[in-house]
Amino acid sequence: MQRTAIYPGSFDPVTNGHLDIIERGRKLFDNIIITILHNPNKQFTFTIEERMEMIESCIKKYPDVKADFYNGLLVDYAKSQKAQAILRGIRAVSDFEYEFQMALMNRRLNRDIQTVSLMTGLRWIFTSSSIIKEAAKFGGDISGMVPPLVEQKLKDKFSENTAKG
Ligand code: PNS
Protein backbone atom coordinates (compact mmCIF):
# COMPACT_ATOMS: atom_id res chain seq x y z
CA MET A 1 0.00 0.00 0.00
CA GLN A 2 1.25 3.46 -0.91
CA ARG A 3 1.61 5.79 2.08
CA THR A 4 0.46 9.29 1.22
CA ALA A 5 0.71 12.38 3.39
CA ILE A 6 -0.86 15.77 2.85
CA TYR A 7 1.43 18.63 3.83
CA PRO A 8 -1.05 21.48 4.29
CA GLY A 9 -0.42 25.14 4.89
CA SER A 10 -0.70 28.70 3.69
CA PHE A 11 2.78 28.70 2.12
CA ASP A 12 2.72 32.49 1.77
CA PRO A 13 5.45 31.98 0.61
CA VAL A 14 7.18 28.59 0.87
CA THR A 15 10.36 28.81 2.99
CA ASN A 16 13.46 26.67 3.47
CA GLY A 17 11.87 25.48 6.73
CA HIS A 18 8.93 24.05 4.74
CA LEU A 19 11.35 22.41 2.29
CA ASP A 20 13.21 20.79 5.18
CA ILE A 21 9.94 19.21 6.39
CA ILE A 22 9.20 18.00 2.85
CA GLU A 23 12.63 16.40 2.48
CA ARG A 24 12.31 14.65 5.83
CA GLY A 25 8.70 13.66 5.14
CA ARG A 26 9.85 11.93 1.94
CA LYS A 27 11.71 9.44 4.12
CA LEU A 28 8.47 8.46 5.85
CA PHE A 29 5.93 8.52 3.03
CA ASP A 30 5.75 7.23 -0.55
CA ASN A 31 3.98 10.37 -1.73
CA ILE A 32 3.55 13.86 -0.36
CA ILE A 33 0.92 16.32 -1.58
CA ILE A 34 1.67 19.89 -0.58
CA THR A 35 -1.74 21.50 -0.33
CA ILE A 36 -2.45 25.20 -0.08
CA LEU A 37 -5.57 25.65 2.05
CA HIS A 38 -7.36 28.70 3.33
CA ASN A 39 -6.43 29.86 6.82
CA PRO A 40 -9.23 32.26 7.79
CA ASN A 41 -6.97 33.91 10.40
CA LYS A 42 -4.44 35.16 7.86
CA GLN A 43 -4.21 37.82 5.19
CA PHE A 44 -2.20 36.75 2.19
CA THR A 45 0.60 38.51 0.34
CA PHE A 46 0.67 36.17 -2.66
CA THR A 47 -2.24 34.79 -4.69
CA ILE A 48 -2.83 31.03 -4.74
CA GLU A 49 -1.40 30.93 -8.29
CA GLU A 50 1.77 32.73 -7.19
CA ARG A 51 2.18 30.43 -4.17
CA MET A 52 1.64 27.35 -6.33
CA GLU A 53 4.21 28.55 -8.87
CA MET A 54 6.83 29.05 -6.16
CA ILE A 55 6.16 25.63 -4.60
CA GLU A 56 6.22 23.89 -7.97
CA SER A 57 9.57 25.40 -8.86
CA CYS A 58 11.01 23.99 -5.60
CA ILE A 59 9.69 20.43 -5.96
CA LYS A 60 10.52 19.74 -9.62
CA LYS A 61 13.35 17.45 -8.48
CA TYR A 62 11.04 15.26 -6.37
CA PRO A 63 8.96 12.77 -8.40
CA ASP A 64 7.05 11.74 -5.26
CA VAL A 65 5.94 15.26 -4.28
CA LYS A 66 3.19 17.28 -5.92
CA ALA A 67 1.37 20.52 -5.17
CA ASP A 68 -2.32 21.31 -5.11
CA PHE A 69 -4.82 23.71 -3.54
CA TYR A 70 -8.21 23.10 -1.96
CA ASN A 71 -10.96 25.30 -0.69
CA GLY A 72 -12.53 23.42 2.20
CA LEU A 73 -11.76 21.12 5.10
CA LEU A 74 -8.32 19.59 5.18
CA VAL A 75 -9.60 16.15 6.24
CA ASP A 76 -12.06 16.09 3.32
CA TYR A 77 -9.22 16.78 0.93
CA ALA A 78 -7.03 14.13 2.61
CA LYS A 79 -9.83 11.56 2.25
CA SER A 80 -10.36 12.45 -1.42
CA GLN A 81 -6.66 11.75 -2.02
CA LYS A 82 -6.75 8.50 0.01
CA ALA A 83 -4.05 9.97 2.27
CA GLN A 84 -3.31 8.32 5.61
CA ALA A 85 -1.61 11.28 7.24
CA ILE A 86 -1.32 15.01 7.64
CA LEU A 87 2.27 16.18 7.89
CA ARG A 88 3.10 19.32 9.90
CA GLY A 89 6.25 20.95 11.20
CA ILE A 90 6.51 22.26 14.74
CA ARG A 91 8.95 25.01 15.60
CA ALA A 92 9.13 26.58 19.03
CA VAL A 93 6.82 25.82 21.96
CA SER A 94 4.60 28.68 20.74
CA ASP A 95 3.49 26.52 17.79
CA PHE A 96 2.54 23.62 19.98
CA GLU A 97 -0.85 24.71 21.29
CA TYR A 98 -2.17 25.62 17.82
CA GLU A 99 -0.80 22.44 16.25
CA PHE A 100 -2.21 20.31 19.05
CA GLN A 101 -5.62 21.95 18.72
CA MET A 102 -5.64 21.50 14.97
CA ALA A 103 -4.51 17.86 15.19
CA LEU A 104 -7.25 17.07 17.72
CA MET A 105 -9.92 18.81 15.65
CA ASN A 106 -8.82 17.00 12.52
CA ARG A 107 -8.85 13.71 14.39
CA ARG A 108 -12.35 14.44 15.64
CA LEU A 109 -13.44 15.14 12.06
CA ASN A 110 -11.84 12.01 10.66
CA ARG A 111 -10.32 9.36 12.92
CA ASP A 112 -8.71 7.52 10.03
CA ILE A 113 -6.25 10.30 9.29
CA GLN A 114 -3.23 10.67 11.58
CA THR A 115 -1.31 13.89 12.12
CA VAL A 116 2.46 13.39 11.99
CA SER A 117 4.40 16.37 13.38
CA LEU A 118 8.09 16.72 12.70
CA MET A 119 10.20 18.96 14.92
CA THR A 120 11.73 21.61 12.74
CA GLY A 121 15.46 21.69 12.05
CA LEU A 122 17.29 23.90 14.56
CA ARG A 123 18.25 26.30 11.72
CA TRP A 124 14.60 27.11 11.05
CA ILE A 125 13.29 27.30 14.58
CA PHE A 126 12.72 31.06 14.59
CA THR A 127 11.76 31.57 10.96
CA SER A 128 8.29 31.81 9.54
CA SER A 129 6.77 33.13 6.32
CA SER A 130 5.45 36.15 8.26
CA ILE A 131 8.74 37.17 9.86
CA ILE A 132 10.59 36.65 6.56
CA LYS A 133 8.03 38.84 4.78
CA GLU A 134 8.41 41.53 7.40
CA ALA A 135 12.21 41.55 7.00
CA ALA A 136 11.91 41.56 3.18
CA LYS A 137 9.41 44.41 3.26
CA PHE A 138 11.94 46.66 4.95
CA GLY A 139 14.83 45.58 2.73
CA GLY A 140 16.36 43.03 5.13
CA ASP A 141 18.59 40.23 3.84
CA ILE A 142 16.54 37.04 3.70
CA SER A 143 18.95 34.97 1.61
CA GLY A 144 19.32 31.41 2.88
CA MET A 145 15.86 31.49 4.48
CA VAL A 146 13.90 31.03 1.27
CA PRO A 147 14.79 29.55 -2.12
CA PRO A 148 16.35 32.12 -4.54
CA LEU A 149 13.19 32.33 -6.69
CA VAL A 150 11.09 33.13 -3.63
CA GLU A 151 13.60 35.76 -2.52
CA GLN A 152 13.23 37.44 -5.91
CA LYS A 153 9.41 37.22 -5.81
CA LEU A 154 9.39 38.85 -2.37
CA LYS A 155 11.62 41.68 -3.63
CA ASP A 156 9.37 42.16 -6.67
CA LYS A 157 6.21 42.08 -4.57
CA PHE A 158 7.40 44.69 -2.11
CA SER A 159 8.91 47.01 -4.73
CA GLU A 160 5.60 46.72 -6.65
CA ASN A 161 3.73 47.74 -3.48
CA THR A 162 6.11 50.64 -2.82
CA ALA A 163 5.65 51.83 -6.42
CA LYS A 164 1.86 51.72 -5.90
CA GLY A 165 2.34 53.85 -2.75
O1 PNS B 1 0.43 27.42 7.30
P1 PNS B 1 -0.76 27.57 8.21
O2 PNS B 1 -1.46 28.89 7.94
O3 PNS B 1 -0.41 27.40 9.67
O4 PNS B 1 -1.78 26.38 7.82
C1 PNS B 1 -3.05 26.28 8.43
C2 PNS B 1 -3.99 25.44 7.55
C3 PNS B 1 -4.17 26.09 6.18
C4 PNS B 1 -3.43 24.05 7.39
C5 PNS B 1 -5.37 25.36 8.29
O5 PNS B 1 -5.88 26.67 8.49
C6 PNS B 1 -6.39 24.50 7.54
O6 PNS B 1 -6.32 23.29 7.60
N1 PNS B 1 -7.34 25.17 6.83
C7 PNS B 1 -8.40 24.48 6.10
C8 PNS B 1 -9.68 24.37 6.97
C9 PNS B 1 -9.52 23.23 7.97
O7 PNS B 1 -9.65 22.07 7.64
N2 PNS B 1 -9.15 23.61 9.23
C10 PNS B 1 -8.76 22.63 10.25
C11 PNS B 1 -9.87 22.11 11.07
S1 PNS B 1 -10.69 23.35 11.95
Side-chain angles (χ1 to χ4, degrees), residues 44-116:
F44 299 104
T45 302
F46 292 98
T47 63
I48 291 183
E49 290 75 19
E50 287 172 321
R51 286 181 266 159
M52 279 288 282
E53 189 193 328
M54 288 184 270
I55 294 172
E56 272 170 351
S57 82
C58 298
I59 58 170
K60 271 193 264 179
K61 56 186 174 212
Y62 304 135
D64 49 345
V65 181
K66 67 172 191 170
D68 198 3
F69 65 92
Y70 183 73
N71 195 3
L73 268 185
L74 167 58
V75 288
D76 289 347
Y77 178 77
K79 189 175 174 190
S80 75
Q81 299 301 308
K82 299 185 173 47
Q84 293 82 9
I86 293 167
L87 176 65
R88 290 283 288 179
I90 297 194
R91 290 164 304 186
V93 178
S94 51
D95 275 348
F96 185 76
E97 204 170 317
Y98 170 61
E99 293 299 329
F100 197 50
Q101 213 174 21
M102 203 156 64
L104 290 187
M105 176 56 87
N106 285 330
R107 183 161 157 75
R108 189 170 192 277
L109 296 171
N110 188 330
R111 296 185 74 79
D112 293 332
I113 298 168
Q114 312 304 325
T115 296
V116 174

Coordinates of all heavy atoms in Angstrom, one line a residue, residues 44-116:
F44 N -3.3 37.3 3.0 CA -2.2 36.7 2.2 C -1.5 37.8 1.3 O -2.1 38.8 0.9 CB -2.8 35.6 1.3 CG -3.3 34.5 2.2 CD1 -4.6 34.3 2.3 CD2 -2.4 33.7 2.8 CE1 -5.1 33.3 3.2 CE2 -2.9 32.7 3.6 CZ -4.2 32.5 3.8
T45 N -0.2 37.6 1.2 CA 0.6 38.5 0.3 C 0.6 38.0 -1.1 O 0.5 38.8 -2.0 CB 2.1 38.5 0.8 OG1 2.1 38.9 2.2 CG2 3.0 39.4 0.1
F46 N 0.6 36.7 -1.3 CA 0.7 36.2 -2.7 C -0.7 35.5 -3.0 O -1.3 34.9 -2.1 CB 1.8 35.1 -2.8 CG 3.2 35.7 -2.7 CD1 3.9 35.7 -1.5 CD2 3.8 36.3 -3.8 CE1 5.1 36.3 -1.4 CE2 5.0 36.9 -3.7 CZ 5.7 36.9 -2.5
T47 N -1.0 35.5 -4.3 CA -2.2 34.8 -4.7 C -2.0 33.3 -4.6 O -0.8 32.9 -4.6 CB -2.6 35.1 -6.2 OG1 -1.5 34.7 -7.0 CG2 -2.8 36.6 -6.3
I48 N -3.0 32.5 -4.7 CA -2.8 31.0 -4.7 C -1.9 30.6 -5.9 O -1.1 29.8 -5.8 CB -4.2 30.3 -4.8 CG1 -4.9 30.5 -3.4 CG2 -4.0 28.8 -5.1 CD1 -6.2 29.8 -3.3
E49 N -2.2 31.3 -7.1 CA -1.4 30.9 -8.3 C 0.1 31.2 -8.1 O 1.0 30.4 -8.4 CB -1.9 31.7 -9.5 CG -3.3 31.3 -10.0 CD -4.4 31.8 -9.1 OE1 -4.2 32.7 -8.3 OE2 -5.5 31.2 -9.2
E50 N 0.4 32.4 -7.4 CA 1.8 32.7 -7.2 C 2.4 31.7 -6.2 O 3.6 31.3 -6.4 CB 1.9 34.2 -6.6 CG 1.6 35.3 -7.6 CD 1.5 36.6 -7.0 OE1 0.9 36.8 -5.9 OE2 1.9 37.6 -7.6
R51 N 1.6 31.4 -5.2 CA 2.2 30.4 -4.2 C 2.4 29.1 -4.8 O 3.4 28.4 -4.5 CB 1.2 30.3 -3.0 CG 1.3 31.6 -2.1 CD 0.3 31.5 -0.9 NE -0.9 32.1 -1.2 CZ -2.1 31.8 -0.5 NH1 -2.0 30.9 0.4 NH2 -3.2 32.4 -0.8
M52 N 1.5 28.7 -5.7 CA 1.6 27.4 -6.3 C 2.9 27.4 -7.2 O 3.7 26.4 -7.2 CB 0.4 27.1 -7.2 CG -0.8 26.5 -6.5 SD -0.5 24.8 -6.0 CE -0.8 24.0 -7.5
E53 N 3.1 28.5 -7.9 CA 4.2 28.5 -8.9 C 5.5 28.4 -8.1 O 6.4 27.7 -8.5 CB 4.1 29.9 -9.6 CG 5.1 30.0 -10.7 CD 5.2 31.5 -11.2 OE1 4.2 32.2 -11.2 OE2 6.3 31.9 -11.6
M54 N 5.6 29.1 -6.9 CA 6.8 29.0 -6.2 C 7.1 27.6 -5.6 O 8.2 27.1 -5.7 CB 6.8 30.1 -5.0 CG 6.9 31.5 -5.5 SD 6.9 32.7 -4.1 CE 5.2 33.1 -3.9
I55 N 6.0 27.0 -5.1 CA 6.2 25.6 -4.6 C 6.6 24.7 -5.7 O 7.5 23.9 -5.6 CB 4.8 25.1 -4.0 CG1 4.5 25.9 -2.7 CG2 4.9 23.6 -3.6 CD1 3.1 25.6 -2.1
E56 N 5.9 24.8 -6.9 CA 6.2 23.9 -8.0 C 7.7 24.0 -8.4 O 8.3 23.0 -8.7 CB 5.2 24.1 -9.1 CG 4.0 23.2 -8.9 CD 2.9 23.4 -9.8 OE1 2.8 24.4 -10.5 OE2 1.9 22.5 -9.7
S57 N 8.2 25.2 -8.4 CA 9.6 25.4 -8.9 C 10.5 24.7 -7.9 O 11.6 24.3 -8.2 CB 9.9 26.9 -9.0 OG 10.2 27.4 -7.8
C58 N 10.1 24.6 -6.6 CA 11.0 24.0 -5.6 C 10.9 22.5 -5.6 O 11.8 21.8 -5.0 CB 10.6 24.5 -4.2 SG 10.8 26.2 -3.9
I59 N 9.9 21.9 -6.1 CA 9.7 20.4 -6.0 C 9.9 19.7 -7.3 O 9.7 18.5 -7.3 CB 8.3 20.1 -5.3 CG1 7.2 20.6 -6.2 CG2 8.2 20.6 -3.9 CD1 5.8 20.1 -5.8
K60 N 10.3 20.4 -8.3 CA 10.5 19.7 -9.6 C 11.4 18.5 -9.5 O 11.2 17.5 -10.2 CB 11.2 20.7 -10.6 CG 10.2 21.6 -11.3 CD 10.9 22.3 -12.5 CE 11.2 23.7 -12.0 NZ 11.8 24.7 -12.6
K61 N 12.4 18.6 -8.6 CA 13.3 17.5 -8.5 C 12.8 16.2 -7.7 O 13.4 15.2 -7.7 CB 14.6 18.0 -7.8 CG 14.4 18.6 -6.5 CD 15.6 19.2 -5.9 CE 15.3 20.0 -4.6 NZ 16.0 21.1 -4.3
Y62 N 11.6 16.4 -7.2 CA 11.0 15.3 -6.4 C 9.9 14.6 -7.1 O 8.8 15.2 -7.1 CB 10.5 15.7 -5.0 CG 11.5 16.5 -4.2 CD1 11.2 17.6 -3.5 CD2 12.8 16.0 -4.0 CE1 12.1 18.3 -2.7 CE2 13.7 16.6 -3.2 CZ 13.4 17.8 -2.5 OH 14.3 18.4 -1.8
P63 N 10.1 13.4 -7.7 CA 9.0 12.8 -8.4 C 7.8 12.4 -7.5 O 6.7 12.2 -8.0 CB 9.6 11.5 -9.0 CG 10.9 11.3 -8.2 CD 11.3 12.6 -7.7
D64 N 8.1 12.2 -6.2 CA 7.0 11.7 -5.3 C 6.3 12.9 -4.5 O 5.6 12.6 -3.6 CB 7.7 10.8 -4.2 CG 9.0 11.4 -3.6 OD1 9.5 12.4 -4.2 OD2 9.4 10.9 -2.6
V65 N 6.6 14.1 -5.0 CA 5.9 15.3 -4.3 C 5.2 16.1 -5.3 O 5.7 16.4 -6.4 CB 7.0 16.2 -3.6 CG1 6.3 17.3 -2.9 CG2 7.9 15.4 -2.6
K66 N 3.9 16.4 -5.0 CA 3.2 17.3 -5.9 C 2.5 18.4 -5.1 O 2.4 18.3 -3.9 CB 2.2 16.5 -6.8 CG 1.1 15.9 -6.1 CD 0.1 15.3 -7.1 CE -1.2 14.9 -6.4 NZ -2.3 14.6 -7.2
A67 N 2.0 19.4 -5.8 CA 1.4 20.5 -5.2 C -0.1 20.7 -5.7 O -0.4 20.3 -6.8 CB 2.2 21.8 -5.4
D68 N -0.9 21.1 -4.8 CA -2.3 21.3 -5.1 C -2.9 22.4 -4.2 O -2.2 22.8 -3.3 CB -3.0 20.0 -4.9 CG -4.4 19.9 -5.6 OD1 -4.7 20.8 -6.3 OD2 -5.1 18.8 -5.4
F69 N -4.1 22.8 -4.5 CA -4.8 23.7 -3.5 C -6.2 23.2 -3.4 O -6.8 22.5 -4.2 CB -4.8 25.2 -4.0 CG -5.5 25.5 -5.3 CD1 -6.8 25.9 -5.2 CD2 -4.8 25.3 -6.5 CE1 -7.5 26.1 -6.4 CE2 -5.5 25.6 -7.7 CZ -6.8 26.0 -7.6
Y70 N -6.9 23.6 -2.3 CA -8.2 23.1 -2.0 C -8.9 24.1 -1.1 O -8.3 24.7 -0.2 CB -8.1 21.8 -1.2 CG -9.4 21.1 -0.9 CD1 -10.2 20.5 -1.9 CD2 -10.0 21.1 0.4 CE1 -11.4 19.9 -1.7 CE2 -11.2 20.5 0.6 CZ -11.9 19.9 -0.4 OH -13.1 19.3 -0.1
N71 N -10.2 24.3 -1.5 CA -11.0 25.3 -0.7 C -12.0 24.5 0.1 O -13.0 24.1 -0.4 CB -11.7 26.3 -1.7 CG -12.2 27.5 -1.0 OD1 -12.0 27.7 0.2 ND2 -12.9 28.3 -1.7
G72 N -11.6 24.2 1.4 CA -12.5 23.4 2.2 C -11.8 22.8 3.4 O -10.7 23.3 3.7
L73 N -12.4 21.8 3.9 CA -11.8 21.1 5.1 C -10.6 20.2 4.7 O -10.7 19.4 3.7 CB -12.8 20.2 5.8 CG -13.6 20.8 6.9 CD1 -14.5 19.6 7.5 CD2 -12.8 21.5 8.0
L74 N -9.5 20.4 5.4 CA -8.3 19.6 5.2 C -8.6 18.1 5.2 O -8.1 17.4 4.3 CB -7.3 20.0 6.2 CG -6.0 19.1 6.4 CD1 -5.3 19.0 5.1 CD2 -5.2 19.7 7.5
V75 N -9.4 17.6 6.2 CA -9.6 16.2 6.2 C -10.4 15.6 5.0 O -10.2 14.5 4.6 CB -10.3 15.7 7.6 CG1 -9.3 15.8 8.7 CG2 -11.6 16.5 7.8
D76 N -11.3 16.5 4.5 CA -12.1 16.1 3.3 C -11.1 15.9 2.1 O -11.2 15.0 1.3 CB -13.1 17.1 3.0 CG -14.3 17.1 4.0 OD1 -14.3 16.2 4.8 OD2 -15.1 18.1 4.0
Y77 N -10.2 16.9 2.0 CA -9.2 16.8 0.9 C -8.4 15.5 1.1 O -8.1 14.8 0.2 CB -8.3 18.0 0.9 CG -7.3 17.9 -0.2 CD1 -7.6 18.2 -1.5 CD2 -6.0 17.6 0.1 CE1 -6.7 18.0 -2.5 CE2 -5.0 17.4 -0.9 CZ -5.4 17.7 -2.2 OH -4.5 17.5 -3.2
A78 N -7.9 15.3 2.3 CA -7.0 14.1 2.6 C -7.8 12.8 2.2 O -7.2 12.0 1.6 CB -6.6 14.1 4.1
K79 N -9.0 12.8 2.6 CA -9.8 11.6 2.2 C -9.9 11.4 0.7 O -9.8 10.3 0.2 CB -11.2 11.7 2.9 CG -12.0 10.4 2.8 CD -13.3 10.5 3.5 CE -14.1 9.3 3.3 NZ -15.5 9.4 3.8
S80 N -10.2 12.5 0.0 CA -10.4 12.5 -1.4 C -9.1 12.0 -2.1 O -9.1 11.4 -3.2 CB -10.8 13.8 -2.0 OG -9.7 14.7 -2.0
Q81 N -7.9 12.2 -1.4 CA -6.7 11.8 -2.0 C -6.2 10.4 -1.5 O -5.1 10.0 -1.7 CB -5.6 12.8 -1.7 CG -5.8 14.2 -2.3 CD -6.0 14.2 -3.8 OE1 -5.1 13.6 -4.5 NE2 -7.1 14.7 -4.3
K82 N -7.1 9.8 -0.6 CA -6.7 8.5 0.0 C -5.5 8.6 0.8 O -4.6 7.7 0.9 CB -6.6 7.4 -1.0 CG -8.0 7.1 -1.8 CD -7.8 5.9 -2.7 CE -9.1 5.5 -3.3 NZ -9.9 6.6 -3.9
A83 N -5.3 9.8 1.5 CA -4.1 10.0 2.3 C -4.3 9.4 3.7 O -5.4 9.4 4.2 CB -3.7 11.5 2.4
Q84 N -3.2 8.9 4.3 CA -3.3 8.3 5.6 C -2.9 9.3 6.7 O -3.2 9.2 7.8 CB -2.4 7.1 5.8 CG -2.8 5.9 5.0 CD -2.3 6.0 3.5 OE1 -1.5 6.9 3.2 NE2 -2.7 5.1 2.7
A85 N -2.2 10.4 6.2 CA -1.6 11.3 7.2 C -1.6 12.7 6.8 O -1.6 13.1 5.6 CB -0.2 10.8 7.5
I86 N -1.5 13.6 7.8 CA -1.3 15.0 7.6 C 0.1 15.3 8.2 O 0.3 14.9 9.4 CB -2.4 15.8 8.4 CG1 -3.8 15.6 7.8 CG2 -2.0 17.3 8.5 CD1 -4.9 16.1 8.7
L87 N 0.9 15.9 7.4 CA 2.3 16.2 7.9 C 2.4 17.7 8.3 O 1.9 18.5 7.5 CB 3.2 15.9 6.7 CG 4.7 16.2 6.9 CD1 5.3 15.3 8.0 CD2 5.4 15.9 5.6
R88 N 2.9 17.9 9.5 CA 3.1 19.3 9.9 C 4.5 19.5 10.6 O 5.0 18.5 11.1 CB 2.0 19.7 10.9 CG 0.6 19.9 10.4 CD 0.4 21.1 9.6 NE 0.3 22.3 10.4 CZ 0.1 23.5 9.9 NH1 0.0 23.7 8.6 NH2 0.1 24.6 10.7
G89 N 5.0 20.7 10.5 CA 6.2 20.9 11.2 C 5.9 21.7 12.5 O 5.0 22.5 12.5
I90 N 6.7 21.5 13.5 CA 6.5 22.3 14.7 C 7.8 23.0 15.0 O 8.9 22.3 15.1 CB 6.1 21.4 15.9 CG1 4.7 20.7 15.7 CG2 6.1 22.2 17.2 CD1 4.1 20.1 16.9
R91 N 7.7 24.3 15.3 CA 8.9 25.0 15.6 C 9.0 25.2 17.1 O 9.1 24.2 17.8 CB 8.9 26.4 14.9 CG 9.1 26.2 13.4 CD 8.7 27.4 12.6 NE 7.4 27.8 13.0 CZ 6.7 28.8 12.5 NH1 7.2 29.5 11.6 NH2 5.4 29.0 12.8
A92 N 9.0 26.4 17.6 CA 9.1 26.6 19.0 C 7.9 26.2 19.8 O 6.9 25.8 19.2 CB 9.4 28.0 19.3
V93 N 7.9 26.2 21.1 CA 6.8 25.8 22.0 C 5.6 26.6 21.6 O 4.4 26.1 21.7 CB 7.2 26.1 23.4 CG1 6.0 25.8 24.4 CG2 8.4 25.3 23.8
S94 N 5.7 27.8 21.1 CA 4.6 28.7 20.7 C 3.7 28.1 19.7 O 2.5 28.3 19.6 CB 5.1 30.1 20.3 OG 6.1 29.9 19.3
D95 N 4.3 27.2 18.8 CA 3.5 26.5 17.8 C 2.6 25.4 18.4 O 1.7 25.0 17.8 CB 4.4 25.8 16.8 CG 4.9 26.7 15.7 OD1 4.3 27.8 15.6 OD2 5.8 26.3 14.9
F96 N 3.1 24.9 19.5 CA 2.5 23.6 20.0 C 1.0 23.6 20.2 O 0.3 22.7 19.8 CB 3.3 23.2 21.2 CG 2.9 21.8 21.7 CD1 3.3 20.7 21.0 CD2 2.0 21.6 22.7 CE1 2.9 19.4 21.3 CE2 1.5 20.4 23.1 CZ 2.0 19.2 22.4
E97 N 0.6 24.7 20.9 CA -0.9 24.7 21.3 C -1.8 24.7 20.0 O -2.7 23.9 20.0 CB -1.1 25.9 22.1 CG -2.3 25.8 23.0 CD -2.4 26.9 24.0 OE1 -1.4 27.3 24.6 OE2 -3.6 27.3 24.2
Y98 N -1.4 25.5 19.1 CA -2.2 25.6 17.8 C -2.1 24.3 17.1 O -3.2 23.8 16.6 CB -1.6 26.8 17.0 CG -2.1 26.9 15.6 CD1 -3.4 27.1 15.3 CD2 -1.2 26.8 14.5 CE1 -3.8 27.2 14.0 CE2 -1.6 27.0 13.2 CZ -2.9 27.1 12.9 OH -3.3 27.3 11.7
E99 N -0.9 23.7 17.0 CA -0.8 22.4 16.3 C -1.6 21.3 16.9 O -2.2 20.5 16.3 CB 0.7 22.1 16.1 CG 1.5 23.0 15.2 CD 1.0 23.0 13.8 OE1 0.5 22.0 13.3 OE2 1.1 24.1 13.2
F100 N -1.5 21.3 18.3 CA -2.2 20.3 19.0 C -3.7 20.4 18.8 O -4.4 19.4 18.6 CB -1.8 20.5 20.5 CG -2.1 19.4 21.4 CD1 -1.7 18.1 21.1 CD2 -2.8 19.5 22.6 CE1 -1.9 17.0 21.9 CE2 -3.0 18.5 23.5 CZ -2.6 17.2 23.1
Q101 N -4.2 21.7 18.9 CA -5.6 21.9 18.7 C -6.1 21.5 17.3 O -7.1 20.8 17.2 CB -5.8 23.5 18.8 CG -7.1 23.9 19.4 CD -7.0 25.4 19.6 OE1 -6.3 26.2 18.9 NE2 -7.8 25.9 20.5
M102 N -5.3 21.8 16.3 CA -5.6 21.5 15.0 C -5.6 20.0 14.8 O -6.5 19.4 14.1 CB -4.7 22.2 14.0 CG -5.2 22.4 12.6 SD -4.4 23.7 11.7 CE -2.8 23.1 11.6
A103 N -4.6 19.3 15.3 CA -4.5 17.9 15.2 C -5.7 17.2 15.8 O -6.3 16.2 15.3 CB -3.2 17.4 15.8
L104 N -6.1 17.7 17.0 CA -7.2 17.1 17.7 C -8.6 17.3 17.0 O -9.4 16.4 16.9 CB -7.3 17.6 19.2 CG -6.2 17.1 20.1 CD1 -6.6 17.5 21.5 CD2 -6.1 15.6 20.1
M105 N -8.7 18.5 16.4 CA -9.9 18.8 15.7 C -10.0 17.9 14.4 O -11.0 17.3 14.1 CB -10.0 20.3 15.3 CG -11.1 20.7 14.4 SD -12.7 20.2 15.1 CE -13.1 21.6 16.1
N106 N -8.8 17.8 13.7 CA -8.8 17.0 12.5 C -9.1 15.5 12.8 O -9.8 14.8 12.1 CB -7.5 17.2 11.8 CG -7.4 18.5 11.0 OD1 -8.5 19.0 10.6 ND2 -6.2 19.1 10.9
R107 N -8.6 15.1 14.0 CA -8.8 13.7 14.4 C -10.3 13.5 14.7 O -10.9 12.5 14.4 CB -8.0 13.4 15.6 CG -8.1 11.9 16.1 CD -6.9 11.5 16.9 NE -7.2 10.4 17.8 CZ -7.3 9.2 17.4 NH1 -7.2 8.9 16.1 NH2 -7.6 8.2 18.3
R108 N -10.9 14.5 15.3 CA -12.4 14.4 15.6 C -13.2 14.4 14.3 O -14.2 13.7 14.3 CB -12.8 15.7 16.5 CG -14.1 15.6 17.0 CD -14.4 16.7 18.0 NE -15.6 16.5 18.7 CZ -16.8 16.8 18.3 NH1 -16.9 17.4 17.1 NH2 -17.9 16.6 19.0
L109 N -12.7 15.1 13.3 CA -13.4 15.1 12.1 C -13.2 13.9 11.2 O -14.1 13.5 10.5 CB -13.0 16.4 11.2 CG -13.3 17.7 11.9 CD1 -12.7 18.9 11.1 CD2 -14.8 18.0 11.9
N110 N -12.1 13.3 11.4 CA -11.8 12.0 10.7 C -10.8 11.2 11.4 O -9.6 11.5 11.3 CB -11.4 12.3 9.2 CG -11.3 11.0 8.4 OD1 -11.0 9.9 9.0 ND2 -11.5 11.1 7.1
R111 N -11.2 10.1 12.1 CA -10.3 9.4 12.9 C -9.4 8.5 12.1 O -8.4 7.9 12.7 CB -11.1 8.5 13.9 CG -11.9 9.3 14.9 CD -12.6 8.4 15.9 NE -11.7 7.9 16.9 CZ -11.2 8.5 17.9 NH1 -11.6 9.8 18.1 NH2 -10.4 8.0 18.8
D112 N -9.6 8.4 10.8 CA -8.7 7.5 10.0 C -7.4 8.2 9.6 O -6.6 7.6 9.0 CB -9.5 7.0 8.8 CG -10.6 6.1 9.2 OD1 -10.5 5.4 10.2 OD2 -11.6 6.1 8.4
I113 N -7.4 9.5 9.8 CA -6.2 10.3 9.3 C -5.4 10.8 10.5 O -5.9 11.4 11.4 CB -6.7 11.5 8.4 CG1 -7.5 10.9 7.2 CG2 -5.5 12.4 8.0 CD1 -8.2 11.9 6.4
Q114 N -4.1 10.4 10.4 CA -3.2 10.7 11.6 C -2.4 11.9 11.3 O -1.9 12.1 10.2 CB -2.3 9.5 11.8 CG -2.9 8.1 11.9 CD -4.0 8.1 12.9 OE1 -3.9 8.7 14.0 NE2 -5.1 7.3 12.6
T115 N -2.2 12.8 12.3 CA -1.3 13.9 12.1 C 0.1 13.5 12.6 O 0.3 12.9 13.7 CB -1.8 15.1 13.0 OG1 -3.0 15.5 12.4 CG2 -0.8 16.3 12.9
V116 N 1.1 13.7 11.7 CA 2.5 13.4 12.0 C 3.2 14.7 12.0 O 3.3 15.5 11.0 CB 3.1 12.5 10.9 CG1 4.6 12.3 11.1 CG2 2.3 11.1 10.9

